[in-house]
Amino acid sequence: MNFANEDLLGLQVELPPLERQRDIADFLDAETARIDQLALKRRQMRSLLTLKRERLIESTLGLERSQTTDALVPLKYLVADVTVGIVITPAKWYVEAGGTPALRGLNVKPGSISTSDLVQISAEGHAENRKSRLSTGDVVVVRTGQAGAAAVVPPELDGANCIDLIVVRPGRKIAPRYLQYVLNSGYASARVAEHSVGSIQAHFNVGAMKQIPIPSIPRTEQDEIVRLLDVRVGALDLLHRKLDHQEQLLTERRQALITAAVTGQFDVSTASGRNVRDGVSA
């Protein structure tokens, strides 16, 4: 919410006696510091979980071992095709409704695709750009911004199109979700960064994508690795979400505590930490 100067000047503010103002300020300093410390610990735990997640993925994929062996093969030799989405004036094909959905970089996060803020392109644009049509199981990779973020195309987006994304068509040699895990690993991210250009936003091209070294292992082993990672990484992601939710609750509690104290909902001179926690909704 934006306030004009006149709005702030006209705002009604309760003005308790000076001594009570000091009591409220001292109380809030102590209580908000305690809440802030709890929130900090949860952020630190989430950072550690993120690091553990990255190391778990690299270890399970065998990337740490593969870097010192001949087991790595350029991506282009393991997949059916690598192409790119619409890059030349894609906006000329945009329509408000009745078109074909088209993914952009902002729709793709590591391991997931958001269907909010999808643009649509006309039937003519879709027909003109057949090579960038998506099929279930394709892996789309961000070129600009969060370069290298990869996600598997789900069934509901089969037949959609895409804009300024790299499209990897896995073929028979590589499992889509195995490739997704590899491309989102710290190992692959480092190689994307090495070959990205642009001083403001990282930009990654198809040629560099084709050259990324990928572990060459049988499809059955890939499927087993995906199964293991889904279980192990899923447990870490669940804990990460719980910590994030707890931090949100702490933020809400902090604001509710301040509001309750300054509006006189309780007497800070007699309130204990436990009474306040019981009386303030999270």
Side-chain angles (χ1 to χ4, degrees):
M1 183 181 293
N2 296 320
F3 287 99
N5 290 338
E6 294 78 9
D7 295 326
L8 290 174
L9 291 173
L11 189 65
Q12 296 292 318
V13 178
E14 182 179 354
L15 190 64
L18 189 58
E19 187 62 30
R20 183 160 176 256
Q21 293 179 39
R22 292 194 182 100
D23 289 341
I24 292 172
D26 290 343
F27 172 82
L28 289 176
D29 282 347
E31 289 298 314
T32 56
R34 181 183 63 81
I35 293 174
D36 291 344
Q37 185 62 28
L38 290 172
L40 175 61
K41 288 180 178 179
R42 278 152 181 78
R43 287 194 296 274
Q44 292 171 336
M45 290 177 67
R46 285 195 288 121
S47 295
L48 290 173
L49 278 175
T50 298
L51 181 60
K52 182 175 181 179
R53 185 184 193 275
E54 292 174 356
R55 290 180 175 173
L56 172 63
I57 290 173
E58 290 197 7
S59 175
T60 306
L61 291 170
L63 293 172
E64 295 170 335
R65 299 185 298 275
S66 297
Q67 292 180 47
T68 58
T69 71
D70 297 325
L72 296 175
V73 176
L75 177 69
K76 64 181 179 180
Y77 296 121
L78 298 175
V79 299
D81 188 31
V82 181
T83 187
V84 67
I86 305 169
V87 292
I88 301 175
T89 58
K92 73 179 181 180
W93 304 116
Y94 288 1
V95 293
E96 291 294 328
T100 298
L103 290 178
R104 296 175 292 169
L106 61 84
N107 300 114
V108 181
K109 304 299 180 187
S112 67
I113 293 177
S114 170
T115 55
S116 62
D117 296 322
L118 280 178
V119 297
Q120 297 183 45
I121 61 173
S122 65
E124 180 185 2
H126 190 50
E128 286 278 343
N129 296 278
R130 293 179 180 274
K131 72 181 182 69
S132 56
R133 291 185 182 182
L134 302 175
S135 298
T136 301
D138 287 346
V139 178
V140 288
V141 185
V142 177
R143 296 181 69 217
T144 304
Q146 193 179 4
V152 177
V153 175
E156 57 266 29
L157 288 173
D158 186 80
N161 215 303
C162 67
I163 295 166
D164 199 28
L165 293 172
I166 294 173
V167 183
V168 182
R169 309 197 193 279
R172 297 180 179 179
K173 293 182 180 179
I174 196 161
R177 296 200 58 244
Y178 172 79
L179 181 59
Q180 174 184 281
Y181 271 121
V182 172
L183 294 180
N184 288 323
S185 69
Y187 159 83
S189 296
R191 278 143 188 81
V192 169
E194 288 175 7
H195 296 91
S196 295
V197 297
S199 57
I200 298 177
Q201 281 193 315
H203 185 82
F204 191 60
N205 62 44
V206 172
M209 183 83 246
K210 291 180 178 180
Q211 295 300 326
I212 288 184
I214 302 294
S216 179
I217 61 175
R219 180 70 181 256
T220 53
E221 290 185 27
Q222 296 176 33
D223 292 337
E224 178 61 17
I225 286 173
V226 169
R227 187 190 67 78
L228 288 173
L229 284 176
D230 282 349
V231 173
R232 295 171 180 173
V233 173
L236 293 178
D237 288 345
L238 177 60
L239 183 53
H240 194 286
R241 289 193 296 272
K242 286 182 177 180
L243 289 170
D244 185 60
H245 181 59
Q246 289 174 9
E247 189 176 343
Q248 292 177 16
L249 291 178
L250 285 169
T251 299
E252 294 172 6
R253 183 179 296 279
R254 188 183 196 279
Q255 186 56 54
L257 178 65
I258 293 172
T259 300
V262 300
T263 56
Q265 294 180 33
F266 60 85
D267 185 356
V268 299
S269 63
T270 59
S272 68
R274 181 174 180 179
N275 290 337
V276 171
R277 288 192 294 274
D278 291 341
V280 178
S281 171

